[in-house]
Amino acid sequence: MKLEYFKDKVFELLNDADNMSIKDIETNDREGKFTVSTQDGSVFEVSCSQLRMPAKDLRICWWMKRH
C-alpha cells in the first residue's frame, strides 16, 4: 500500500466519524500530518509515515536433484 493512499483513507475515516465531534481537519501533506480540532476545543495531531514497503519481485527458487 502506498503512503498517499493510506493518508487519504485516514482522512476519510476522520472526516466521516460522526461520533467524534470533529470541528476541523487541517492537512500538511509535506509532513504527512493532520491537525484535528474537536467541538470541545481539543486539538490532536495525527502523523503518517511509511515504515516498511513490501519486497517486490522476490523470487524463491530451488533445485531438486533426482537420484
Side-chain angles (χ1 to χ4, degrees):
M1 179 182 306
K2 293 187 178 190
L3 178 59
E4 292 303 318
Y5 177 80
F6 182 81
K7 288 191 309 187
D8 289 344
K9 291 301 175 184
V10 169
F11 180 85
E12 288 177 21
L13 287 169
L14 290 169
N15 199 37
D16 294 342
D18 296 331
N19 61 343
M20 291 182 65
S21 301
I22 292 177
K23 181 179 173 182
D24 189 31
I25 304 171
E26 296 177 26
T27 61
N28 183 335
D29 284 331
R30 190 173 6 171
E31 294 183 17
K33 294 180 181 177
F34 302 104
T35 302
V36 182
S37 303
T38 61
Q39 296 291 339
D40 70 356
S42 298
V43 179
F44 300 91
E45 182 177 82
V46 179
S47 178
C48 297
S49 60
Q50 188 162 0
L51 301 179
R52 186 177 312 136
M53 293 185 68
K56 292 188 176 192
D57 296 331
L58 178 65
R59 296 180 186 177
I60 299 174
C61 300
W62 65 88
W63 296 90
M64 293 180 66
K65 288 187 177 182
R66 292 187 185 190
H67 296 280

